[in-house]
Amino acid sequence: MRLDKFICKSTDLSRTEATILLREGRVIVNDEVITNEATQVHENNSITLDGQVLTPRPSRYIMMHKPLNTVCSNVDDSYPSLFRYIDIDNVSNLHIAGRLDADTTGLVLITDDGRWSFNIIRPTKQCEKVYRVSLRDPIADDVASKFEHGVQLQGEKSLTLPAKLHIVNAKEVLLTITEGKFHQVKRMFASVGNRVVALHRQKIGGISLDIEIGQWRYLRDDEIKCFGS
């Protein structure tokens, strides 16, 4: 964990305030004054601020049902941030493990544990994400086979990794992918001559969405353990 994040997780200071204190030489890590906010530290290190031992708060793990026309960002953009829906302390210390576009709804995982979220987004983990996809045109018979073998996305050097397609009806499918390329689902269907008109993520790894749109809840212990914490 970055030292400035460790300080924020152990105090009520903002990232800017933590950086100022570091530059003033008021933070000691394992008996050494550290002024670089990007220094990597661990919870087992001895870290003090003005002589007071810092102890980080327990990490938080949250599921949210992202509404349409919200952005996966800590600040508002063209659309409001989804964090407007989460009323808890120190919300600015949280980050999103796997963002969704503004026009995509569904499951978003939120945490302040960087190692945990890394296990979700790290390509080598091949974490499965399941999307419900509404299409402009009826799905062609050969699309499942094409996705299973990988398709060429515009601007990419390699084929997509194998993906699983389950047909719900002619214009609605469930797509399971293990990557997170930019606009990947939309680009995959564009590569086979179709167009996504609505997109909803309903599962990440072993965690399934089970709350109403706009709602959030803390993850259970068994859900947290899906990604190694």
Side-chain angles (χ1 to χ4, degrees):
M1 181 188 304
R2 283 173 54 114
L3 181 54
D4 54 356
K5 287 186 177 180
F6 184 96
I7 295 172
C8 292
K9 197 172 180 180
S10 306
T11 68
D12 291 325
L13 296 170
S14 68
R15 186 81 68 86
T16 299
E17 292 169 334
T19 299
I20 292 173
L21 295 178
L22 282 161
R23 299 287 169 81
E24 292 176 350
R26 295 164 62 180
V27 178
I28 297 176
V29 180
N30 297 335
D31 299 323
E32 179 182 356
V33 174
I34 301 295
T35 58
N36 182 358
E37 66 274 13
T39 299
Q40 292 292 315
V41 297
H42 190 273
E43 288 89 341
N44 292 334
N45 294 147
S46 172
I47 303 173
T48 62
L49 170 62
D50 293 337
Q52 298 295 315
V53 175
L54 298 183
T55 302
R57 293 181 291 273
S59 294
R60 295 171 289 177
Y61 307 90
I62 293 169
M63 165 195 295
M64 183 177 180
H65 189 155
K66 178 187 176 297
L68 190 66
N69 296 332
T70 56
V71 291
C72 289
S73 170
N74 290 71
V75 296
D76 295 338
D77 196 353
S78 302
Y79 295 102
S81 164
L82 59 78
F83 283 102
R84 283 176 170 261
Y85 291 82
I86 301 178
D87 184 21
I88 57 177
D89 294 335
N90 301 298
V91 70
S92 62
N93 293 335
L94 298 168
H95 65 269
I96 296 163
R99 297 170 181 248
L100 293 177
D101 296 334
D103 61 355
T104 302
T105 62
L107 175 59
V108 171
L109 298 179
I110 303 170
T111 185
D112 50 12
D113 183 344
R115 286 175 293 182
W116 186 82
S117 60
F118 186 59
N119 286 334
I120 297 173
I121 63 176
R122 184 166 54 184
T124 56
K125 288 291 185 178
Q126 295 195 3
C127 174
E128 291 190 340
K129 296 96 176 174
V130 180
Y131 293 85
R132 182 174 290 270
V133 189
S134 298
L135 300 168
R136 178 193 61 194
D137 304 318
I139 189 75
D141 293 337
D142 61 350
V143 173
S145 177
K146 288 181 177 179
F147 284 1
E148 184 179 358
H149 291 90
V151 292
Q152 186 69 55
L153 303 183
Q154 185 175 7
E156 300 287 346
K157 294 182 179 180
S158 58
L159 300 180
T160 56
L161 293 178
K164 294 179 286 188
L165 187 72
H166 172 74
I167 298 175
V168 178
N169 57 56
K171 292 188 178 181
E172 188 172 56
V173 300
L174 297 178
L175 179 66
T176 302
I177 62 175
T178 58
E179 299 174 283
K181 296 181 184 295
F182 180 69
H183 290 169
Q184 180 171 341
V185 175
K186 297 173 184 176
R187 293 164 69 199
M188 287 177 69
F189 283 98
S191 75
V192 295
N194 211 327
R195 180 181 177 184
V196 174
V197 296
L199 188 58
H200 175 85
R201 185 164 65 195
Q202 58 187 48
K203 189 174 182 180
I204 300 176
I207 300 177
S208 298
L209 186 64
D210 61 4
I211 52 178
E212 297 298 319
I213 191 165
Q215 293 184 344
W216 66 274
R217 69 168 175 83
Y218 288 105
L219 294 181
R220 303 185 303 269
D221 286 345
D222 63 301
E223 294 172 321
I224 296 170
K225 290 176 181 177
C226 288
F227 302 109
S229 287

